[in-house]
Amino acid sequence: MVASLDDTSAYSNSTAAQHNGFNHLTLSVSNLDASLEFYGGLLGFKGEVRWNTGAYLSYGNCWLCLSLGKAKPSQDYTHFAFTYDLDAMTQIQQKTAFKAARQWQSNSSEGDSLYIEDPDGHKLELHSGSLASRLDSLKVKPYDGLEWLN
């Protein structure tokens, strides 16, 4: 059985729920100090631990691992989106460090978004919407060729 996102019956077993979902994101970074300053100082992630070749940070229920190495950020549309409200995005944009961040796209979709790259060029999106709000917007203005799967 495939459950829709609003069907909690598929997840009612607490043991099963513990085995589902996104666990963590690991990014290769070339300069651990610069990345810690970017994610912690600019974006507000909480530093948990660090060691010679990496660090763990958290933001809400997101666990981010920074791993020192040769960073090879995606050259396509692949990016990582984190939930932020508009006030938090505005505060980030007012920080001095934001001026050094490269914006890789302007927002043209539902919800407020800020598209920036981290110091290694990993594409990030700070987004205020949710899957539910995006799906609602598609009922009003569907993408070309849109097909509902459930």
Side-chain angles (χ1 to χ4, degrees), residues 29-50:
V29 298
S30 61
N31 182 319
L32 191 55
D33 290 330
S35 292
L36 284 168
E37 181 56 35
F38 177 84
Y39 285 98
L42 180 61
L43 299 186
F45 280 63
K46 178 184 172 193
E48 300 293 344
V49 297
R50 102 174 254 169

Side-chain angles (χ1 to χ4, degrees), residues 70-143:
K70 185 173 181 179
K72 295 181 183 179
S74 172
Q75 299 303 304
D76 59 17
Y77 188 69
T78 300
H79 65 280
F80 310 102
F82 299 101
T83 301
Y84 283 80
D85 63 27
L86 182 58
D87 289 338
M89 285 187 262
T90 300
Q91 289 177 8
I92 288 168
Q93 290 175 301
Q94 293 171 349
K95 292 182 179 181
T96 303
F98 179 77
K99 294 175 183 149
R102 182 180 171 276
Q103 292 190 31
W104 62 274
Q105 177 174 300
S106 296
N107 186 35
S108 61
S109 61
E110 170 274 330
D112 294 308
S113 287
L114 183 59
Y115 298 87
I116 59 175
E117 291 183 1
D118 78 356
D120 286 294
H122 296 292
K123 293 180 180 86
L124 309 175
E125 177 183 359
L126 312 184
H127 183 67
S128 68
S130 66
L131 177 58
S133 64
R134 180 62 53 90
L135 294 176
D136 285 345
S137 76
L138 292 176
K139 292 173 185 173
V140 175
K141 186 176 179 184
Y143 298 147

Side-chain angles (χ1 to χ4, degrees), residues 1-71:
M1 173 182 136
V2 176
S4 67
L5 292 174
D6 61 353
D7 181 6
T8 57
S9 64
Y11 304 105
S12 61
N13 180 336
S14 62
T15 303
Q18 294 173 8
H19 300 287
N20 292 312
F22 187 79
N23 188 277
H24 70 278
L25 172 65
T26 298
L27 296 175
S28 289
V29 298
S30 61
N31 182 319
L32 191 55
D33 290 330
S35 292
L36 284 168
E37 181 56 35
F38 177 84
Y39 285 98
L42 180 61
L43 299 186
F45 280 63
K46 178 184 172 193
E48 300 293 344
V49 297
R50 102 174 254 169
W51 59 98
N52 290 346
T53 60
Y56 292 150
L57 300 97
S58 62
Y59 184 82
N61 65 353
C62 175
W63 165 18
L64 177 64
C65 174
L66 302 176
S67 181
L68 193 58
K70 185 173 181 179

